[in-house]
Structure formats: structure tokens, C-alpha cells
Amino acid sequence: MSSHGHIVPRVWSLSPREIAADGTRRIGELGSLYRLGIIVAAVLAVVGIVSLIAGPLLQGYSDRAVWTYVTAVFFFLMSTVAAAPCLSVGLRLARGHWRRPVNRVAEIWAAALIVPAILFFVLQGTHPSSMDRSSLWMGWPGAPWLWSSIMMISLVACGYAFLYISARPDFAILRDQVDPNPKGFFARMAGDWRGTIKQWAVHDRGLSYIGVFYLMLFVGTMTVISSDFIIGMVPGYHSSIFPVYWVVTSFQAGIALTIVTSAILRKFGGAEKYLELDQFWGLSKMLLAFGLLWFYFWWSEFIITWYSRMPYEVNFLRFFFFDTYLWLFVIVIGFCFLAPLLGLMWNFVRRSYNGPTVVAVLVLLGIMADRIRLASIGSTVEDIYAPYFLEVPSTHYPGVFDVLLTVGFIGAAVGIVLVAMRFIAVPSIWEVTSGLWLRKMRKFKKAEVIVIGKPE
Amino acid sequence: MAFREVLGVYKDLDTAVAATDAFADAGFTREDFDVLTNAPYPEGAFGEDPGRHRLFMFPLIGAASGFAVGLLITAGTQLAYPLVTYGMPLLSIPPMIVIMYEGTMLGALIFTVLGVLFESRLPRLRLGVYDKRITYGSIGILARVPADRIDDAEKALRSVEHENIVSENDNGDVISENEYEPRGAQA
């Protein structure tokens, strides 16, 4: 440790050969715990699919309330699995060094985008036409099904393209060092990658472009989802702040998911040399900032409704916060705002492994509670064509199938990421290696400091 | 003019840069060689020719095409079937923006992916002159020179301590001086 308190990560003292050897070893040596994780995730996925069929699908689309927890798990996966790659995009654009081992941890979740995509298409049956009701689409032909589907397909395709382009140099390393079969998986995925100057230049630009498109598509898709599934389903609810709240809290969940994944990889994935205090410290600062943003956007929306206090707005407040879903809201404000604020305001908590991890777990639980609350709000209003929100529905409680399908589809997403880790190095080999020659420890009088090269 | 390739593989940055110096001393220019690495180095570290590309054109063209299609679908249909409602303007711009945004993003995305493939000259059927040591951290200096100067290029690459020299013969067969055993998953 240097004298001013910064932690010097061990990874920067490794050689390119050691990093390549370690990366190929991590791919090849996925142990018994990994296999157990795959089996548990597969069982959960089957349970989720069976619960979806036996529960909501057999009951049909006539009662939207039946689909509440399918919507909730879809919301949760969009706010975590789909949001995590945005963190990778943002960190890449900022061009920091500490983020190099973190990027792949965040973007590997793009592999699981297929799960919320499937749920999205299953849920399309719950949407009536946008004709004659309040909607973002204003009765546009084919809305909301066609246009929101195009948005979702674009996001998922962009996510997979982003992950593939990022992982391609690592596929080449695995092609050459692990699987010599010219028709094997790694050879097919790497293609003719040789690592020429031009290939790296195109790779760098391409990754930036696709990443930015992913970010833009994510914001657009989440705006459409918040409008289609929540705002458009509650009569008289015309909030321009809610989509922003929805996107910002999803970013918060994406950061939390990355911290939890990093902690698990440190403990069980052999990545302790890469994911050190530097990474947890950086991520925890972002989690704290987004905890404060959570409150800002929630308050901005709440105070206007609370102050104007029209009768239907009083019903909003009762339905959203103070009556029907009071306890869920208490969990949300406690875990998404108070936990990051009171926990991560202390530097010794931020600069630790356990502190950010515990807060991140609480944030994920808070986001889950928030998405259940919002899915229940969007799914249980009976007359969505009414001009005002005059009748507050009662609390919607989950049944057995609801619990099983929620756990099952989260397990399916985790299982897909576990399978992806069998083929994609986490953390990235090439990205960690490329940071080696830009960062050195140097003596500065009696202190030891980190000297960082900035070639761009 | 026929060109041929020869690859020198070096253990570290210092020997690789020394090889590019020897290459320049032999009368070659920076356009005559490429550098193969398993991670990107700062631009110009080897005194190499920067990898010029036109990738930025692809998302621009794609976005413009997607925007045009979105505009055609939205404005075109409303103008083709003009239904004036309560005297409001014929073109309903707010929902048009959403669909034009989708078209723009989709077009930019598709063209960018195609651009990455095109600019990387993909797909190629074979790696050509290549050495698997490169993805294990070694650095390759790939000379691509007129066939009558291939011996000079190989001599320059050999003049520095190297791990391997890979070349191609007149039939296009790749010849490696030292075969490499992949490290495998246990590396």
C-alpha cells in the first residue's frame, strides 16, 4: 500500500504471459462448485418455465393481474441483467484504468438478455391496443406490440453484438492456447483475428460505437417499457419524471449486480488478483451517487403530486406509497436510498470488500421490491380507459406459482451467465493486459505513487 | 507486383521495437510491416503505420438510412391516408419521433456491425503467416514486402533475438521455424 492510502492492485505486477495463462486456466478449471451452480440454475429454470405455463399461461390473458409477477421478474431482469452492460459502456467511455477488470464482469450479463426478451414477448398479450387510451404511442397502428418489439429486439441484438465484439480477442487467445480444433467453438468465434494494428483500431472504435448504441437503446427501451407497462396502465398518471426514475434506478441496480458478481468471482471464481479494493472502491462510489439520485428523482415526482393533491392524485399517493404497497415502499426507500447513504458515506466501508457487497445485495433486494410494487400497480388497475384514477385497487399478493416463476427466471438468467463463463474469460484477458504498460509504481521522495500513462 | 509475408516473433516489447529498428535500417518503411499483439498497445509504440479505417462512416450512413425509413413509414403513411381529426395537424410528430428514433438506432447498429466485419476484412478463410505465441503475450512483427526483397526482410527480423520466424514459400505454404505447443487449459 502506498503512503497516501491507495491500494496497489497485484494485477499490475503480472506479465502479459501470466495474465494469459491465468485467463486460460480460469476457463479450463471451472470446479465442482461451478457445476453445482449450473445444475441448481437449470433446475430453477425448469421450475420457472413450468410455473409460467401452469400459472399465468393456462389462465390466459383475460385477467392482467395474473401476470403481475411475470411482469415483476421481467422488470427486475431488465433493471439488472440489461443494465449491467451500460456500466461497462460508461466506464469504457471514461477511459479509467481501474475499470479494466470490471468491464467484462458487467458485460457478461448481456449473455442473459434472452431471458427478459422471452418474457417481454410472452407479456405482449397483456397489452390492449393503444387506441382510445392514454399511451406514448397515441394510437399508432401496430402499437404498442410492433414498435416496442422492434425496440426490444434491437436492444437484445445490440447487447449480444457488444459482448461478442468485446470478447473476440479473448476468443482468439483461447483458440490458440486451449482448443486447437480449427472447427471448434473458439476458432469459429475468433475467425481470422490476428491482432493487427488495424484490427485493434477497428475493434476499439467498433466497441465504442456499439456500446453507445446499447446505452441509447437501453434508455429508449426502458422509457417505452415504463410507459407501456406502468404509466399507460394507470388512468390519469402523466408523469414525465417516472421514466427517468426508472432508468436511473436500473443503472443503480446494474452497478449493484456488478459488485455482487465481482464479490462472487473473487471468492469462488479465481479472480482475486484482478478484482481488488481498487475496483470495489470505485464501484461503491458510483453506487452511493446513484443512491442519492434515487432519492432525487423519487422526490421530484412525489413532491409535485403531494403538493397539488387533486383527489385522483391523493389516490396515486395511497396506491403507490402510503396505503396499498406501503411496506414494499418502506423496503425500497430503506434498501435503495438509506442503505447506500448510511453505509457508503463512510470511506472505510466504501474501501472494503464486504461493505459495498452487503449494500449492493440490499440494493438488489430493494430494486426487486420496487419492481414488484410497480408491476403490481401496472397490472391491477381494472379500468385503464377511465379518465381519472378514482378507485384504488387492493394489494395484490403472490401465489405459489408467482414465487416459483420469479425465482425460476432469475435462476435461468444466472445459469446462462454461468454457461457463458465457460466460453468467455471473466475478467477479460486482453483488456487487463493492455493496462499493464500504462501503469507503474514509482518512488516519489519517501512515498510510493502510481504513475498512469494516458496515450489518448 | 507480388508481395510475400514473413513474421518475426519476439518475447517482449524491447526486442520487438529493436526488430522494427533493424527493419527500418534495412531500407523498409513503416508501411511495410504490421504488428501482431494479444492486446492493444499505445498508438505508435512500434513506430508503425496507424491503422487507418473508415468505420465512422458506417454508423452515420446506417443512422441516416434508418431515419429515412422511419420518416417514410410515419410521415408517408399519414400523408398517403390523410385523416384530419378535430382540425389537428396531419403529421403527428411526437409518436413519429419514437419510431424514427427506433429506425435510426437500428440502422446505425446494423451498419456498424457490418462495418466492423468489413473493415476487419472478414471473413478470411485462413490466418496465413501467424504464430500462436502471439496470443500468449509474444509480439509479432509481420513484414509484407515485394517478393524480391523478402530475404532482406527476413534477415532484418532475424538480426534481433527472436522466438520464431514464420514465412511462406513460393507455393503459399506456411513454414514455421519453431513449432509451438499450445499451453492448454492448465497453462
Side-chain angles (χ1 to χ4, degrees):
Chain A
M1 183 186 297
S2 62
S3 59
H4 61 295
H6 283 276
I7 308 299
V8 181
R10 277 175 293 168
V11 63
W12 306 122
S13 63
L14 299 176
S15 71
R17 281 185 172 74
E18 286 171 315
I19 291 174
D22 199 43
T24 54
R25 183 187 55 75
R26 276 183 281 117
I27 287 285
E29 290 183 352
L30 297 167
S32 55
L33 202 62
Y34 171 81
R35 291 192 194 91
L36 180 67
I38 290 278
I39 291 167
V40 170
V43 170
L44 288 176
V46 171
V47 168
I49 292 166
V50 170
S51 302
L52 176 67
I53 294 168
L57 271 177
L58 280 183
Q59 293 186 56
Y61 288 105
S62 55
D63 181 8
R64 286 191 307 111
V66 172
W67 292 87
T68 299
Y69 278 78
V70 184
T71 312
V73 73
F74 165 66
F75 284 177
F76 181 70
L77 291 175
M78 284 302 291
S79 303
T80 50
V81 165
C86 296
L87 174 65
S88 174
V89 176
L91 293 176
R92 275 217 176 87
L93 293 176
R95 302 263 177 196
H97 275 290
W98 65 270
R99 54 86 194 175
R100 289 181 185 276
V102 173
N103 280 349
R104 182 63 54 75
V105 179
E107 69 206 15
I108 191 72
W109 284 98
L113 277 172
I114 189 71
V115 179
I118 289 169
L119 292 173
F120 173 82
F121 287 108
V122 170
L123 284 166
Q124 287 306 294
T126 63
H127 285 171
S129 164
S130 65
M131 294 291 283
D132 303 323
R133 68 183 175 94
S134 182
S135 161
L136 176 74
W137 306 104
M138 304 182 196
W140 192 262
W145 313 290
L146 174 64
W147 306 107
S148 58
S149 297
I150 291 173
M151 206 76 166
M152 191 70 188
I153 290 168
S154 304
L155 178 76
V156 173
C158 192
Y160 281 110
F162 180 59
L163 180 60
Y164 170 67
I165 291 174
S166 168
R168 192 157 171 251
D170 284 347
F171 284 137
I173 293 171
L174 298 167
R175 171 197 66 193
D176 292 349
Q177 308 302 328
V178 175
D179 182 9
N181 179 5
K183 291 186 177 176
F185 174 80
F186 294 125
R188 287 178 189 278
M189 298 303 277
D192 76 330
W193 181 270
R194 296 196 293 177
T196 63
I197 296 294
K198 184 170 182 181
Q199 279 182 330
W200 281 116
V202 171
H203 178 266
D204 180 57
R205 287 292 88 203
L207 202 54
S208 296
Y209 294 159
I210 300 275
V212 169
F213 295 151
Y214 184 84
L215 196 60
M216 293 171 73
L217 280 167
F218 179 78
V219 172
T221 307
M222 291 301 266
T223 302
V224 166
I225 287 171
S226 67
S227 167
D228 283 352
F229 284 86
I230 302 165
I231 297 174
M233 294 296 178
V234 182
Y237 182 43
H238 302 140
S239 172
S240 57
I241 297 173
F242 182 78
V244 186
Y245 165 87
W246 180 254
V247 171
V248 166
T249 54
S250 297
F251 287 150
Q252 183 189 21
I255 295 166
L257 181 65
T258 306
I259 292 175
V260 173
T261 312
S262 300
I264 292 170
L265 286 170
R266 250 191 78 79
K267 186 80 175 170
F268 304 109
E272 64 277 3
K273 284 197 287 282
Y274 307 94
L275 299 163
E276 297 198 275
L277 275 180
D278 210 18
Q279 285 70 40
F280 281 80
W281 197 14
L283 289 171
S284 66
K285 283 183 262 189
M286 297 177 72
L287 192 61
L288 173 60
F290 274 89
L292 298 174
L293 284 175
W294 182 96
F295 183 80
Y296 174 66
F297 283 107
W298 171 76
W299 182 256
S300 301
E301 185 182 28
F302 168 79
I303 193 66
I304 293 169
T305 313
W306 182 84
Y307 189 77
S308 55
R309 212 174 296 186
M310 301 290 284
Y312 65 95
E313 289 176 316
V314 173
N315 284 344
F316 286 151
L317 296 178
R318 286 177 54 211
F319 191 36
F320 282 43
F321 309 119
F322 299 130
D323 188 1
T324 314
Y325 295 107
L326 170 67
W327 289 107
L328 275 178
F329 179 66
V330 169
I331 292 171
V332 175
I333 201 166
F335 288 179
C336 291
F337 170 58
L338 293 177
L341 175 66
L342 300 179
L344 298 178
M345 65 189 281
W346 308 104
N347 195 41
F348 74 92
V349 178
R350 285 201 303 272
R351 209 174 64 176
S352 67
Y353 296 114
N354 293 335
T357 306
V358 170
V359 172
V361 169
L362 293 177
V363 167
L364 288 177
L365 291 173
I367 291 293
M368 184 77 233
D370 194 48
R371 282 9 180 191
I372 290 173
R373 180 178 71 94
L374 294 169
S376 303
I377 287 167
S379 302
T380 54
V381 176
E382 288 191 3
D383 185 8
I384 63 171
Y385 297 95
Y388 295 108
F389 185 58
L390 300 176
E391 198 172 321
V392 179
S394 57
T395 310
H396 180 84
Y397 293 102
V400 176
F401 284 135
D402 293 329
V403 174
L404 291 178
L405 71 86
T406 302
V407 176
F409 280 101
I410 292 172
V414 172
I416 288 173
V417 168
L418 285 174
V419 171
M421 285 178 178
R422 179 72 183 81
F423 302 99
I424 299 173
V426 184
S428 162
I429 300 170
W430 71 265
E431 200 154 21
V432 172
T433 305
S434 64
L436 288 180
W437 30 84
L438 297 175
R439 191 166 171 151
K440 296 287 182 196
M441 289 303 298
R442 288 281 185 270
K443 291 291 282 184
F444 182 78
K445 300 300 181 188
K446 294 181 180 179
E448 205 172 12
V449 296
I450 304 168
V451 179
I452 297 173
K454 287 276 188 182
E456 296 162 343
Chain B
M1 185 186 296
F3 281 82
R4 281 183 46 188
E5 291 182 341
V6 58
L7 174 71
V9 182
Y10 304 92
K11 192 176 180 181
D12 54 35
L13 189 59
D14 292 337
T15 50
V17 172
T20 61
D21 291 341
F23 198 67
D25 292 343
F28 294 102
T29 66
R30 64 181 196 167
E31 285 82 21
D32 294 328
F33 74 93
D34 202 343
V35 185
L36 312 186
T37 58
N38 77 337
Y41 280 75
E43 191 178 307
F46 301 90
E48 77 281 8
D49 191 37
R52 293 191 184 87
H53 60 84
R54 296 180 188 279
L55 186 62
F56 65 94
M57 294 295 293
F58 287 84
L60 285 177
I61 294 168
S65 306
F67 179 83
V69 171
L71 186 65
L72 190 69
I73 290 172
T74 52
T77 49
Q78 289 174 106
L79 293 174
Y81 300 95
L83 296 171
V84 178
T85 309
Y86 295 115
M88 289 188 289
L90 201 55
L91 294 180
S92 172
I93 292 174
M96 284 172 63
I97 289 173
V98 180
I99 291 166
M100 288 188 295
Y101 178 79
E102 287 186 8
T104 307
M105 294 306 301
L106 193 57
L109 172 63
I110 291 170
F111 271 68
T112 304
V113 172
L114 292 176
V116 169
L117 296 176
F118 178 79
E119 286 290 340
S120 302
R121 298 290 184 269
L122 296 176
R124 279 170 49 145
L125 297 178
R126 54 197 286 267
L127 284 168
V129 177
Y130 182 68
D131 191 317
K132 291 180 177 178
R133 290 176 181 83
I134 289 161
T135 51
Y136 197 61
S138 298
I139 297 168
I141 304 296
L142 179 67
R144 187 169 186 273
V145 296
D148 59 339
R149 295 206 64 196
I150 192 71
D151 291 340
D152 296 337
E154 187 169 335
K155 190 177 170 187
L157 295 177
R158 281 183 187 282
S159 67
V160 177
E161 184 188 351
H162 56 274
E163 289 186 309
N164 193 19
I165 297 289
V166 186
S167 56
E168 57 185 351
N169 63 18
D170 294 338
N171 299 326
D173 299 325
V174 176
I175 300 160
S176 178
E177 201 169 84
N178 298 314
E179 284 303 322
Y180 173 70
E181 190 64 32
R183 311 294 297 186
Q186 302 304 315

